[in-house]
Amino acid sequence: MTEAPSIADRDSISKRESGVTEKSPMRLRMEALIKEKQSEIVAALQKLDPENKFRTDTWSRPAGGGGISCVQQDGNVFEKAGVNTSIVYGTLPRPAIEKMRVNHKAIDPDVDSLEFFAAGLSLVLHPQNPNAPTVHLNYRYFETMDNDGKCNAWWFGGGTDLTPTYLYDEDAIHFHKSIKDACDKHDRGYYPRFKQWCDKYFYIPHRQESRGIGGIFFDDLDSQEKDQEQLFSFVKDCLSSFLPGYLPIVTKRKDMPFGEREKQWQQLRRGRYVEFNLVNDRGTSFGLNTPSARVESILMSLPLTARWMYMHEAEKGSREERMIGVLKQPIEWV
């Protein structure tokens, strides 16, 4: 007796035969969206540095799904830039189901395992110039399904945040305004709520400071928040706001003069970035603990170089001290 095709196999056949339309399941629409946005973002970043081509790796997972990793290293503009998509089909064991039911009551409590699907676009850009800020973005969709592929619980998560080495107020205002405009199209309460969530999430407890100057962060947005179409439209607008929010900043800063002092300070701030990602970030931890995870793609977020100095203190009245002050006490930029 032949085995019934998996949900991943059936989705592949559906995409091949009918393409992806507005009537397709949300998992296929989200997959199409993140691949489209990945291509758009990589093309825009490539124009900043045409000589150094992005390396593109396409990979697949045995249980279904896979991803595309686009990475540029040691370029003229970015020390390291990674733009990744990931599609995962898998099975949730009973303990994971119980944990997820805390936030998602639609999940069936009486099963020992559940099929799931996850899709996400993740991006981290670490510029060469200390005057240009690091930026992070991640938007994702998760659903659980019964054996015939019918969705029984779903949610969206994501956000974007800026991590400058040196603070330029106009850059912070521009970045926050662009993401606030995207939020305001859907709900005027989103930006203040998700900015506060971001400030709280990207905090390094052992340093008692934030990783950067924030942006937005949200998770577990499901039908208790808004309907699926409204939330998908919100995520689309957030993704579309990324290039207008970040490109003008990096374009303005990438060729500014800097010296050894600025480079050393950048390396120290990169060390903090590494600390947060390896110690505090739930996404990194989840990724590394997922069976047959692609470790290279998960650790793409780490900078190429970083530095730790014993008992380093910023000079009184310096730009470095001002940066630390804002990281210890987040600001309302817009």
Side-chain angles (χ1 to χ4, degrees):
M1 188 175 158
T2 56
E3 265 188 39
S6 67
I7 296 168
D9 291 338
R10 278 175 280 169
D11 279 354
S12 289
I13 293 164
S14 167
K15 285 184 288 187
R16 198 164 56 241
E17 290 179 350
S18 315
V20 178
T21 70
E22 286 185 4
K23 291 191 168 69
S24 298
M26 182 54 72
R27 61 181 178 268
L28 301 188
R29 293 168 67 194
M30 185 66 177
E31 178 183 350
L33 173 70
I34 61 175
K35 285 179 176 174
E36 176 197 332
K37 289 297 176 188
Q38 180 185 38
S39 297
E40 196 180 292
I41 291 167
V42 169
L45 297 176
Q46 190 67 80
K47 280 183 187 168
L48 289 177
D49 186 4
E51 292 169 29
N52 295 284
K53 299 298 178 197
F54 272 82
R55 170 178 170 165
T56 300
D57 291 326
T58 303
W59 47 277
S60 57
R61 288 173 54 86
I68 305 167
S69 297
C70 301
V71 179
Q72 186 190 64
Q73 284 185 159
D74 265 335
N76 295 316
V77 178
F78 296 106
E79 179 189 275
K80 191 169 174 198
V83 188
N84 292 352
T85 52
S86 174
I87 311 295
V88 180
Y89 288 83
T91 307
L92 290 172
R94 178 91 195 177
I97 295 168
E98 286 170 1
K99 201 172 170 184
M100 283 180 178
R101 276 207 88 244
V102 174
N103 293 313
H104 305 284
K105 301 302 178 201
I107 293 177
D108 186 346
D110 302 318
V111 291
D112 288 324
S113 66
L114 255 186
E115 298 298 304
F116 79 89
F117 169 90
L121 169 62
S122 187
L123 160 166
V124 180
L125 311 177
H126 293 292
Q128 294 278 14
N129 194 312
N131 293 291
T134 285
V135 70
H136 159 257
L137 168 149
N138 175 279
Y139 289 100
R140 56 194 175 274
Y141 172 75
F142 194 100
E143 74 175 39
T144 61
M145 304 163 282
D146 53 29
N147 289 334
D148 66 1
K150 189 166 176 289
C151 173
N152 55 30
W154 56 268
W155 58 93
F156 290 93
T160 182
D161 58 286
L162 200 67
T163 304
T165 296
Y166 288 100
L167 191 59
Y168 291 93
D169 287 34
E170 66 266 35
D171 294 354
I173 291 164
H174 174 80
F175 182 81
H176 277 267
K177 185 177 185 311
S178 77
I179 196 67
K180 180 180 185 295
D181 289 347
C183 289
D184 285 353
K185 280 189 202 172
H186 298 269
D187 189 320
R188 295 191 78 82
Y190 274 178
Y191 173 76
R193 180 176 148 206
F194 297 157
K195 184 206 179 275
Q196 188 179 15
W197 200 340
C198 184
D199 289 340
K200 193 174 171 186
Y201 182 81
F202 291 105
Y203 182 74
I204 311 171
H206 60 271
R207 295 290 190 181
Q208 298 187 315
E209 63 187 47
S210 297
R211 186 179 78 174
I213 59 164
I216 62 164
F217 176 86
F218 57 88
D219 206 1
D220 297 317
L221 297 194
D222 59 15
S223 56
Q224 294 183 323
E225 180 73 38
K226 281 188 168 61
D227 72 37
Q228 197 177 49
E229 287 299 328
Q230 287 174 305
L231 289 170
F232 182 55
S233 176
F234 168 57
V235 166
K236 269 202 282 196
D237 283 341
C238 287
L239 272 166
S240 295
S241 75
F242 171 71
L243 287 173
Y246 181 70
L247 270 191
I249 296 172
V250 75
T251 302
K252 184 166 41 173
R253 306 294 172 202
K254 67 184 176 69
D255 299 317
M256 287 178 70
F258 64 89
E260 188 53 45
R261 170 180 167 152
E262 289 79 17
K263 199 66 188 169
Q264 184 183 96
W265 177 243
Q266 180 195 53
Q267 295 296 290
L268 289 168
R269 297 315 311 164
R270 294 259 164 93
R272 298 289 204 269
Y273 205 94
V274 171
E275 288 174 34
F276 176 85
N277 282 29
L278 295 182
V279 177
N280 305 111
D281 186 49
R282 291 202 308 265
T284 305
S285 174
F286 175 81
L288 293 175
N289 286 300
T290 300
S292 67
R294 190 170 195 267
V295 175
E296 287 296 320
S297 295
I298 296 161
L299 298 182
M300 167 279 295
S301 63
L302 299 180
L304 208 53
T305 59
R307 182 183 180 107
W308 284 264
M309 284 171 68
Y310 182 68
M311 298 296 282
H312 181 273
E313 279 189 39
E315 199 179 294
K316 292 271 181 246
S318 66
R319 293 172 70 204
E320 292 85 358
E321 189 189 46
R322 177 162 188 249
M323 185 74 253
I324 289 287
V326 171
L327 296 175
K328 290 197 175 289
Q329 190 60 55
I331 284 177
E332 298 303 320
W333 293 103
V334 290

